[in-house]
Amino acid sequence: MKYLPLFPILARYPFLRISSRVFSFDVEEELRKFPDAIETAKRIVDKAIDGKIEYERFTDESEFFCLGCEENCYDCREKGTLENCDLCMGCFENCSLYYPREAFERFFANAKLSLLTYIASRMIVSAMEDWVRMRYAVNEASYYSKLLREDVEESGKVPIVRLVAIDLGAKLKGWNMHVSTFVKVSARIRDDKWRLVNRRLKNGYVETTKSEVLRGLEELLRMKLFEKVPSSEVVNPAVEELSKKAKRESEKFTMDLGEVDLNCLPPCMKEILSELQRGMNIPHTARFAITSFLLNIGMSVDEIIGLFKAAPDFDEEKTRYQVEHIAGERGKGAEYTSPSCDTMRTYNNCVSDCRVSHPLVYYKKCKSKRKKS
């Protein structure tokens, strides 16, 4: 049965590029045939706006994967392990395993619906504001990372992790990352242990643990999911409905905050600001967080650029362009809202349990208390 082993995998990981080898159909036509896929996609984005994850999906909980299969369908140097695989998937084209027709059709249907849901959700967020797409990317990467961790716990499913790694462009040797992969990932993770200078390097590979590889794959997936894809009129009703909710959500943080009071900065923003003033080279996620936050509370573009002058890689022209873009003075003209606490935790930019959902909520509460006292 052609591609049989891949159906349960694609049902769990529909973002894999190998889906284009397994399925060939007109996306818009199929989405019209299966409105349930759009509804599930809409729930996924709806939960993402709230900073939550939707778990009800067309996944397949089958443990089936033909590791060690004795049927003569492999023609790989290392059978079943997917080491050095180039994703040709030729080893699955001639699968001669027999499964009852009913089971085969279930595998096929779940994989197809999961893929359509994934495509629809990407279309929806691509037609919405950037902050919605960022929340979606963070939450979905976390969801798939959880599935990968579950699969790693089952020794027979380690090749699936290898498949995901290859698909995302991660070079691995065992559980060690190639230096090019490590550098790409570590540039976006705020933690001293992810600095290359603190790691052991051997023959071009950084010694990493299984857990670190999975964290790296989550970051690579987040980057992939944040990319825009072409949208379609078939998801327009969902986009219109969810855009109204997104607008209400963003309005929670656009009320008048009065004069800027730096004494009320939340711990995370104080830490980032302190590192800037000490001339430290802070990661991109932290730069975006402090810039958008300070703009949200009323600081000017020039004042914020002044704060970045202590950065070791300061370039006034580039910094001005980036700050003005976040301020809505360039590009589409939309001002960005600073990241939520969940997003700050995801990028290791959170330094304290403030018991709030957003840094701006902390700031507002602090200003309110100071005003009353």
Side-chain angles (χ1 to χ4, degrees):
M1 293 183 174
K2 191 173 184 180
Y3 294 127
L4 173 63
L6 296 179
F7 294 146
I9 300 173
L10 289 176
R12 284 169 73 81
Y13 306 106
F15 57 82
L16 293 171
R17 288 178 289 131
I18 59 173
S19 61
S20 62
R21 291 184 176 274
V22 179
F23 293 100
S24 178
F25 51 68
D26 183 289
V27 173
E28 289 193 15
E29 183 179 332
E30 292 300 312
L31 284 175
R32 288 191 173 90
K33 287 181 183 177
F34 299 98
D36 284 354
I38 297 179
E39 282 302 310
T40 303
K42 189 167 75 171
R43 290 202 309 272
I44 290 171
V45 178
D46 183 79
K47 286 285 186 69
I49 293 173
D50 293 330
K52 300 176 182 178
I53 296 174
E54 171 60 48
Y55 290 98
E56 294 295 324
R57 310 194 183 195
F58 299 106
T59 53
D60 196 319
E61 300 304 322
S62 170
E63 297 183 359
F64 172 68
F65 183 77
C66 58
L67 179 66
C69 175
E70 295 181 357
E71 303 289 338
N72 189 25
C73 59
Y74 282 106
D75 187 22
C76 297
R77 183 164 58 181
E78 298 179 55
K79 296 182 179 181
T81 65
L82 296 176
E83 289 279 1
N84 305 310
C85 176
D86 63 1
L87 299 184
C88 74
M89 296 295 105
C91 54
F92 297 108
E93 286 185 1
N94 303 311
C95 178
S96 55
L97 282 176
Y98 173 76
Y99 256 64
R101 174 58 58 179
E102 181 182 344
F104 176 84
E105 290 177 352
R106 176 169 60 83
F107 289 151
F108 179 86
N110 282 341
K112 184 175 183 178
L113 285 169
S114 183
L115 176 59
L116 287 171
T117 298
Y118 167 73
I119 293 172
S121 66
R122 293 288 304 276
M123 285 181 171
I124 291 170
V125 295
S126 293
M128 299 179 69
E129 293 183 51
D130 288 350
W131 72 265
V132 176
R133 197 167 75 259
M134 175 58 81
R135 282 196 185 180
Y136 166 85
V138 169
N139 287 5
E140 289 300 280
S142 176
Y143 168 76
Y144 291 119
S145 178
K146 179 177 180 293
L147 294 185
L148 278 176
R149 291 177 192 282
E150 292 172 357
D151 285 342
V152 165
E153 291 173 2
E154 301 180 37
S155 59
K157 288 193 174 184
V158 171
I160 298 179
V161 180
R162 188 81 53 197
L163 179 62
V164 171
I166 298 169
D167 188 87
L168 294 174
K171 297 180 182 179
L172 304 179
K173 181 179 289 186
W175 289 109
N176 292 334
M177 281 187 206
H178 189 272
V179 64
S180 61
T181 300
F182 185 87
V183 168
K184 184 176 182 180
V185 168
S186 62
R188 293 164 172 79
I189 299 179
R190 180 188 171 87
D191 193 322
D192 283 345
K193 74 176 184 177
W194 282 90
R195 295 180 64 191
L196 186 58
V197 70
N198 295 329
R199 308 305 292 249
R200 293 184 63 183
L201 182 65
K202 184 178 181 181
N203 297 325
Y205 283 82
V206 179
E207 292 186 5
T208 48
T209 65
K210 185 188 302 182
S211 177
E212 288 171 338
V213 167
L214 293 174
R215 176 66 183 89
L217 294 181
E218 180 179 350
E219 181 60 26
L220 291 174
L221 182 55
R222 183 203 63 76
M223 287 187 273
K224 174 188 176 78
L225 295 174
F226 184 64
E227 295 173 357
K228 279 191 173 184
V229 301
S231 192
S232 166
E233 62 177 19
V234 73
V235 298
N236 281 353
V239 171
E240 291 176 7
E241 180 180 337
L242 292 169
S243 292
K244 292 177 182 177
K245 176 173 182 174
K247 183 179 180 180
R248 292 194 299 271
E249 181 71 12
S250 63
E251 285 175 350
K252 293 179 182 178
F253 307 112
T254 56
M255 62 182 69
D256 183 12
L257 295 169
E259 293 184 7
V260 175
D261 187 347
L262 295 182
N263 292 313
C264 282
L265 291 182
C268 56
M269 298 303 170
K270 284 183 180 178
E271 178 68 15
I272 295 172
L273 195 55
S274 173
E275 291 183 351
L276 267 178
Q277 293 172 336
R278 295 201 304 270
M280 295 180 65
N281 193 2
I282 64 174
H284 172 74
T285 54
R287 294 180 187 220
F288 173 80
I290 190 66
T291 300
S292 54
F293 179 86
L294 294 176
L295 285 168
N296 292 161
I297 66 173
M299 282 190 73
S300 70
V301 168
D302 287 331
E303 287 173 328
I304 295 171
I305 291 173
L307 295 175
F308 278 100
K309 286 184 177 179
D313 59 349
F314 178 74
D315 180 311
E316 183 161 358
E317 184 178 349
K318 289 182 179 179
T319 301
R320 178 172 295 279
Y321 178 86
Q322 292 165 349
V323 175
E324 289 180 350
H325 181 79
I326 296 172
E329 296 177 11
R330 293 178 182 266
K332 294 182 179 180
E335 182 179 349
Y336 289 77
T337 301
S338 60
S340 66
C341 292
D342 283 341
T343 302
M344 295 291 283
R345 279 189 286 271
T346 296
Y347 295 116
N348 293 305
N349 289 325
C350 178
V351 297
S352 177
D353 183 9
C354 302
R355 300 185 182 280
V356 293
S357 60
H358 201 286
L360 288 174
V361 172
Y362 180 100
Y363 180 80
K364 292 173 191 175
K365 287 184 176 181
C366 175
K367 285 203 67 176
S368 179
K369 287 181 182 178
R370 286 172 63 85
K371 188 175 182 180
K372 291 178 182 178
S373 61

